[in-house]
Amino acid sequence: MKEELAKRYEPATFEQRIYQMWEKGGYFTPEADPEKPKFSIVIPPPNVTGRLHIGHALVNTLQDIIVRWKRMSGFNTLWLPGTDHAGIATQMIVERKLNEQGISRFELGREKFLERVWQWKEQHSSEIKDQLTRLGASADWTRERFTLDEGLSRAVRYVFVKLYEDGLIYRDLAMVNWCPRCQTAISDIEVEFRERNAKLYHIEYAVEGTDQKLTVATTRPETMLGDTAVAVHPDDPRYKDLIGKNAILPIVDRRIPIIGDAILVDPEFGTGVVKVTPAHDKNDYETGMRHNLPQIQVIAEDGRMSAAAGPRFENLDRFEARKLVIELLRESQQLAKIDDYTHSVGVHGKCDTDIEPMISRQWFVKIEPLARPAIEAVRSGAVQIIPQTWESTYFNWMENIHDWTISRQLWWGHRIPAFHCANGHTTVTMDEPQTCPQCGAPVQQETDVLDTWFSSGLWPFSTLGWQGAGADDAPDYRTFYPTDTLITGFDILFFWVARMIMFGLRFTGKAPFSQVFLNGLVRDEQGQKMSKTKGNVIDPLDVVQEVGADALRFTLAISASGRDIPLGKSRIQGYSAFVNKIWNASRFALMHIDVELKDAGPIDRDELKTVERWILSRLNAATADVNRYLSAFRFDEAANTLYHFFWGEFCDWYIEMVKPVLLGKHGHDDDRRTAKRVLLEVLDRSLRLLHPFMPFVTEEIWQKLGGVEPAVIIAPYPIAEEVLEDPEAERLMKAVQSMITTVRNARAERGFTPKDRFKLYVKSNQPREANFFREYGYLLVELARLTEVVVEAEPPAGTQQDVIEGFSIAIEFPVKEISPEQIERTKREIEKTENEIASTEARLANEQFVQNAPAHVVDGARTRLAELKARLEKLQQNQ
RNA sequence: GCGGGGUUAGCUCAGUGGUAGAGCGUUUCCUUUACACGGAAAGGGCCGGGGGUUCGAAUCCCUCACCCCGUACCA
């Protein structure tokens, strides 16, 4: 090797250089060739609202691991990146920035405002790209997309028009979730419920023409101003005689009917009397429809009271109005009582404002015909959800799904392709009509835009060039659709994943992906949600700067079992030590390897020593495991396998074992050459295996190995080979390792230091194994720090005896007092062995066990019993 | 209310029928020329409680308790 590795592992010195090398090499950019075996995946497009957080780091690391693994495994691999315009969220942020400058969007007007949002978008989508780059995301930036791109917008428009023509999109006056702050309708799933401590107000309504009073309870007294009825249960003996009479609405003094309604009223609950406000409550709205009640809208779209609420309330904020209503009721002595009350309140998830149910004309998607095939796709296995437990959540939601409110009273988004004329005609079309096709009057386009998720629902195909029927021959679409895997957070299963499945099936005839992996939420060490207010946020870029992208990626991967991930700095520190270990072990190897990979030639297995056969066998097992785990999205197990192989077997044992040969203390030149060849082999394969998890450090090191391929990113991913399996080598090396551990243990227990050396006696029954220990005794001498290993001789009296993996061993200590701890320990060891002998004997004495248990379990127990007895005998001699 | 998940070493979590595991933390020893972000060793668990199935249960079934998430409703 000409080049050596830097003495210290400093990721900042090479990560960005490596990324540029990959990008220049074009490794992220696959050809649009439908003939090649492909693997494709689309990114869950981050919102162009700001910086990426740790959750983005997780989901994109997991995608990149799969993508790199597939690419190295020979697939024509596409990872398509991009961003989402995120209607409400982005508009909100830009609006807030403007407000800080004292400008309102209404002053600017739609055109100018949108210009500002586009500026924001340009800046942030390039920042997002930079951040993903720093993480090592091997996405094809030449195919980057944005949900408002021309092509994607055409796809959106096509889908809208087609659904409208098919009768699956309709416009209607309905009770919707209204956000008074954002002044737009939102869909049901955008409403989040918050538990809140509130008050339950009991208000007395006089019954007209009697002395009777009806007491209603409400948490929202301000809506009382819009009451148009009072409802009781039709069979309730307390009130049923009152049905048909009128109540007098306090403050307003309006006569409202007392109605009987079995659906709205539960006689068991509260007072059994319900006030009915059809304009501001979903259930009341439906009751109003049943009873033909007038709807009086007392709260306007901005959350202030309307003129209909009366002059004292008009323009008052709805919460101020509540106070005033209470005050007035108290004055007129119509407030019976106020109770403390805990209930959940619907708020807009994006801005935390209390949702106001409002009657409004909106556009809807009739969802049931779309949901049915989407349910079937998961049920049939065409789409597999992993971990599978999410499937029941999916079914539960999809089977109870409601129509989807898709219109938003925003400016930032895809404008609905509907055109209205003054005569009330509406035209929905792909074109830009100037006049109404029905009456010839001039038309104006609908000002509402579509829900962001409408366009993200098309993402897996709109990004590949699909723009509707007759235009689906785009090369990327033909090559890469349907995609293979989707990796995303479980929190957008309904928002996004379900919609993609529904739209994909409807418009492409295929499920947009065959596997969905849902990753957990990244939380802090205590399992708390990360949030700015709690101050427990970990910024992925800070971590990259501190310990490198590889340490962050590996930590995320090894933590990702599908459940939530408690992430703390100490955990990341722990795995950054592993990256450091890889660096240093590679540095050691490179000091001794003197031939480049491309010139190394194949390994002649006949020349291999047991140690080399052992490490290749272990490596092979790890290779099989990693591939298997990655196929099942067990990122944690895959990473764990590599961690333990590389650190626990390669570094702690193999490197220590070949040191005597490499350093010329043992063996001949031929042995040294073979050892170097195998060292190179194991390092090469390990780096390839690790590459998807830690792309930067593996590439930096691998570049020094002189491989045939220009970069490890496109080197073939190792697959297990049967020829490398060697159970015999594994058995013998396990025995050697256990002996070494036993000697080290005994040394420490007897109070000796590592400098004190002893003689070890090893005995076996088979001559071949005796030869093994004669040949490899040097391993025991070096690693257990012995004076010598004596094979097949009777140990003298007074040595410490034991049985390890079926071999009798004896350690000859220089005369030194046996510590009380050691005596105690031996005693405990004997006791433990006796107990296990007793329980094993009991098991074997049980005829049921011998008859019913599988043969290998019974045999195992017998072998174990023999070993235990042999061991007990030796241990007793130590007393 | 309905649905799902959790309860295993001090902490965070793996482990779906055959003798309890990892990382971090703790204790002790060691600066051996890849690495002190290191090496070696130790201690630590009636696998939430109870019951059942089985030759055998952390693992399967029932039940109780506590915690988390989703969803519906809440006058």
Side-chain angles (χ1 to χ4, degrees), chain A residues 129-145:
Chain A
K129 181 191 166 181
D130 286 347
Q131 292 177 63
L132 289 172
T133 297
R134 295 290 301 280
L135 275 174
S138 62
D140 181 5
W141 298 106
T142 68
R143 287 178 166 94
E144 188 179 359
R145 296 286 183 272

Side-chain angles (χ1 to χ4, degrees), chain A residues 63 101 137 148 152 155 194 198 204 215 263 288 307 310 355 416 449 476 519 554 640 761 776 821 841 862:
Chain A
Q63 286 173 91
Q101 299 166 39
L148 284 173
L152 278 72
R194 303 274 152 82
E204 290 175 342
T215 304
I263 298 172
I355 288 301
I416 288 175
V449 300
D476 275 0
N519 60 262
F554 196 80
N640 209 23
Y761 294 82
Y776 292 97
E821 288 86 2
E841 277 177 338
R862 290 207 173 103

Side-chain angles (χ1 to χ4, degrees), chain A residues 18-37:
Chain A
I18 294 280
Y19 195 92
Q20 282 165 16
M21 185 267 282
W22 289 328
E23 212 177 0
K24 254 182 225 153
Y27 305 134
F28 305 160
T29 305
E31 289 172 64
D33 181 352
E35 300 307 312
K36 289 185 175 172

Side-chain angles (χ1 to χ4, degrees), chain A residues 103 164 233 248-249 282 327 333 397 501 512 550 556 573 595 601 681 706 748 861:
Chain A
I103 311 169
Y164 181 82
H233 194 277
I248 304 297
L249 191 60
K282 196 161 177 290
E327 204 181 304
Q333 300 194 327
W397 189 73
I501 298 174
D550 292 324
L556 291 170
Q573 284 295 337
V595 59
E681 184 76 7

Side-chain angles (χ1 to χ4, degrees), chain A residues 17 20 45 49-50 211 332 388 400 406 427 481 514 545 635 727 737 817 868 870:
Chain A
R17 165 168 53 78
Q20 282 165 16
T49 41
D211 294 340
S332 64
Q388 208 186 345
N400 298 294
I406 49 171
T427 312
Y481 191 83
S514 48
Q545 204 150 17
F635 299 94
Q737 290 175 355
E817 199 77 3
L868 288 167

